[in-house]
Amino acid sequence: MAIRVPTRQLFIGGEWREPVLKKRIPIINPATEQIVGDIPAATAEDVEIAVEAARKAFSRNKGQDWPSTSGAYRAKYLRAIAAKITERKSELGKLEVIDCGKPLDEALWDMDDVAGCFEYYADLAEGLDAKQKAPVSLPMETFKSYVLKEPLGVVALITPWNYPLLMGAWKVAPALAAGCTAILKPSELASVTCLELADVCREVGLPPGVLNILTGFGTEAGAPLASHPHVDKVAFTGSSATGSKIMTSAAQMIKPVSMELGGKSPIIVFEDVDLDKAAEWTLFGCFWTNGQICSATSRLLVHVSVIFSVLNTYQMTSQPVLYSSCFGLIFHDLKSRIELLFLKALHQSFWTGLSNGPKRLRFLILLKKVVGLAQLLVEGRQYEKVLEFIATAKSEGATILSGGDRPKHLTTGFFVEPTIITDVTTSMQIWREEVFGPVLCVKTFGTEDEAIELANDTHYGLGAAVISNDLERCDRVTKAFRAGIVWINCSQPCFCQAPWGGIKRSGFGRELGEWGLENYLSVKQVTQYISDEPWGWYQSPAKL
Ligand code: NAD
């Protein structure tokens, strides 16, 4: 089906607006490496105008247009946005595919999640009304106290490219539900669907300036936005390096920030598992979203008694090429038949396999039957970066068990084979750093304590998964994980009702669920003196 990338401008104050410096950034379809359109490139000049528009929207009509209306009023807009996203799901999904290269099926799931997220925060906006003036019990009868939950003000929402519209929705929906006005700055690498969100906001008649969308480079648009003195909060999702820069500039103004950053998450597979299921979750946990997911469980820790990767029937039949050059659209169908067989073997034979030449060879040949699925990365630099990670792992002595290169049959496009790396030590780069691409590194363990120690051997703390039939063990491991999200007998499922976020260098603050709404609310204490008696300041005994 034909799809054309619409030409859009910045969305400021409810209108399309050409960037002051008239700059634009080309959109490159990662599958074809062809330019398929362009997006406006905002600079500090546009940031000024957008922040002003958001401030006006916050204070217009003494706040009665947005922040001081009821949650129920704001919920109507959120529901209208959700309905439009659903109506335009197919078109938006295809635009996402062209823009960031994700499989169409996944892009369509994302659109359902986007609509679901707006619906969910519409519910929470409605619920907010009943939570106002929650009483606080005090130890003195002469006073009463309650709490108001108020929107923080103008918020900057800065997002990455791996879930372009969904990451936007995770921030826009709760921010608007809370009554904030916002400026969304999506990634320069994938902004197309966020500009379509602007179109949706126009269509549903969102009051002008409540949501402004500025596309552009991080340094030119993101940095002046994050450091703007009239921005009351920055909610950021992206790399730890950029998060650190934003925190540094926010610190100058004591500006609150929330940080959703990178990860290097572990998945522990114990010996008592159903091997088929364990294998499927392991692969899904690392290779879904073409491996470009912050919470990817990209460090597989597997018990030595399980021959972890005898993937002797694992076939990922890559059919990436229902490709239509006229539309620049690629449907790389990942409905691959993933037939994995994790064979159990005796502890002893595994070790023999590792120490004995011919057996080790046989083992590796079995593992190499992992047939390359073409995974498409967002852009050329990311593609180069992933290949460099693999080359460094090789040069440091690791073994590339499968993948490790671009698929031979694809000469254009930023495709990389899903890559499994063994013989990894804990000092190697591939063990320590986030690849943000389809690369799984594997280590074995002997005891539960060893598994936990290896799992927590990282600066990051976003996700962690444990696969075992022993639920008591799962419980122990869950408590021992130093991570913000734990999956038991699965990896990656994400629900907008549950909190999302990390610890350590994966960031702080939580998105989604009621925690996501709290991100954009300020708590105001209101205390009233209710006694008829004079206060009697220095009267003895003291009243306080
Ligand atoms: P990035 O840090 O390069 O960019 C993220 C956003 O920040 C973009 O919009 C970019 O333009 C902007 N930006 C860049 N420099 C800036 C600056 N100096 N000031 C203000 N804004 C600036 O990250 P990316 O490459 O787009 O995304 C990949 C990273 O995002 C990975 O590390 C991944 O783990 C992380 N991520 C985390 C989560 C999570 O929920 N924790 C989700 C998705 C992605």
Side-chain angles (χ1 to χ4, degrees), residues 128-266:
L128 199 52
D129 295 336
K131 288 187 183 156
Q132 293 298 9
K133 294 198 172 180
V136 177
S137 82
L138 299 177
M140 289 178 78
E141 286 169 3
T142 44
F143 293 93
K144 78 170 183 181
S145 189
Y146 63 86
V147 160
L148 290 178
K149 292 203 169 181
E150 297 181 335
L152 270 174
V154 172
V155 292
L157 315 174
I158 303 180
T159 54
W161 45 263
N162 61 335
Y163 287 86
L165 190 54
L166 188 58
M167 289 298 102
W170 281 19
K171 296 191 190 315
V172 170
L176 267 47
C180 291
T181 58
I183 300 116
L184 171 65
K185 209 304 274 171
S187 166
E188 60 275 24
L189 298 179
S191 287
V192 169
T193 48
C194 287
L195 288 171
E196 293 316 292
L197 174 64
D199 196 44
V200 165
C201 291
R202 249 172 28 89
E203 283 185 299
V204 304
L206 189 71
V210 165
L211 177 63
N212 306 276
I213 302 181
L214 294 185
T215 53
F217 291 109
T219 45
E220 293 180 359
L225 177 62
S227 61
H228 198 289
H230 292 155
V231 165
D232 298 304
K233 176 187 175 147
V234 184
F236 174 73
T237 299
S239 62
S240 303
T242 306
S244 165
K245 284 184 198 158
I246 290 176
M247 283 180 71
T248 304
S249 80
Q252 312 308 310
M253 282 165 277
I254 325 290
K255 186 182 293 189
V257 293
S258 50
M259 293 278 147
E260 298 288 346
L261 309 175
K264 190 79 187 177
S265 302

Side-chain angles (χ1 to χ4, degrees), residues 10-33:
L10 304 173
F11 185 64
I12 301 178
E15 290 172 356
W16 297 116
R17 198 177 171 124
E18 193 178 26
V20 172
L21 301 187
K22 302 190 188 327
K23 281 174 54 169
R24 296 192 72 88
I25 303 169
I27 304 164
I28 297 170
N29 179 340
T32 63
E33 301 180 39

Side-chain angles (χ1 to χ4, degrees), residues 12-181:
I12 301 178
E15 290 172 356
W16 297 116
R17 198 177 171 124
E18 193 178 26
V20 172
L21 301 187
K22 302 190 188 327
K23 281 174 54 169
R24 296 192 72 88
I25 303 169
I27 304 164
I28 297 170
N29 179 340
T32 63
E33 301 180 39
Q34 308 255 304
I35 294 177
V36 291
D38 56 21
I39 52 166
T43 55
E45 291 80 354
D46 305 294
V47 168
E48 279 302 328
I49 301 169
V51 172
E52 181 58 25
R55 287 218 79 77
K56 264 195 190 147
F58 195 80
S59 58
R60 196 168 42 234
N61 198 12
K62 295 206 169 99
Q64 291 305 316
D65 277 10
W66 196 255
S68 311
T69 55
S70 66
Y73 174 85
R74 295 192 295 269
K76 283 189 194 145
Y77 287 100
L78 297 184
R79 290 199 202 287
I81 292 171
K84 281 278 171 209
I85 298 281
T86 303
E87 197 180 300
R88 293 176 61 176
K89 170 179 162 179
S90 157
E91 170 211 347
L92 292 170
K94 285 172 191 159
L95 288 173
E96 207 82 296
V97 171
I98 291 175
D99 203 17
C100 74
K102 71 168 56 194
L104 182 62
D105 281 349
E106 290 186 17
L108 293 173
W109 292 353
D110 287 1
M111 294 311 123
D112 287 337
D113 285 350
V114 170
C117 184
F118 277 100
E119 282 286 349
Y120 174 73
Y121 280 106
D123 290 347
L124 262 54
E126 285 163 354
L128 199 52
D129 295 336
K131 288 187 183 156
Q132 293 298 9
K133 294 198 172 180
V136 177
S137 82
L138 299 177
M140 289 178 78
E141 286 169 3
T142 44
F143 293 93
K144 78 170 183 181
S145 189
Y146 63 86
V147 160
L148 290 178
K149 292 203 169 181
E150 297 181 335
L152 270 174
V154 172
V155 292
L157 315 174
I158 303 180
T159 54
W161 45 263
N162 61 335
Y163 287 86
L165 190 54
L166 188 58
M167 289 298 102
W170 281 19
K171 296 191 190 315
V172 170
L176 267 47
C180 291
T181 58

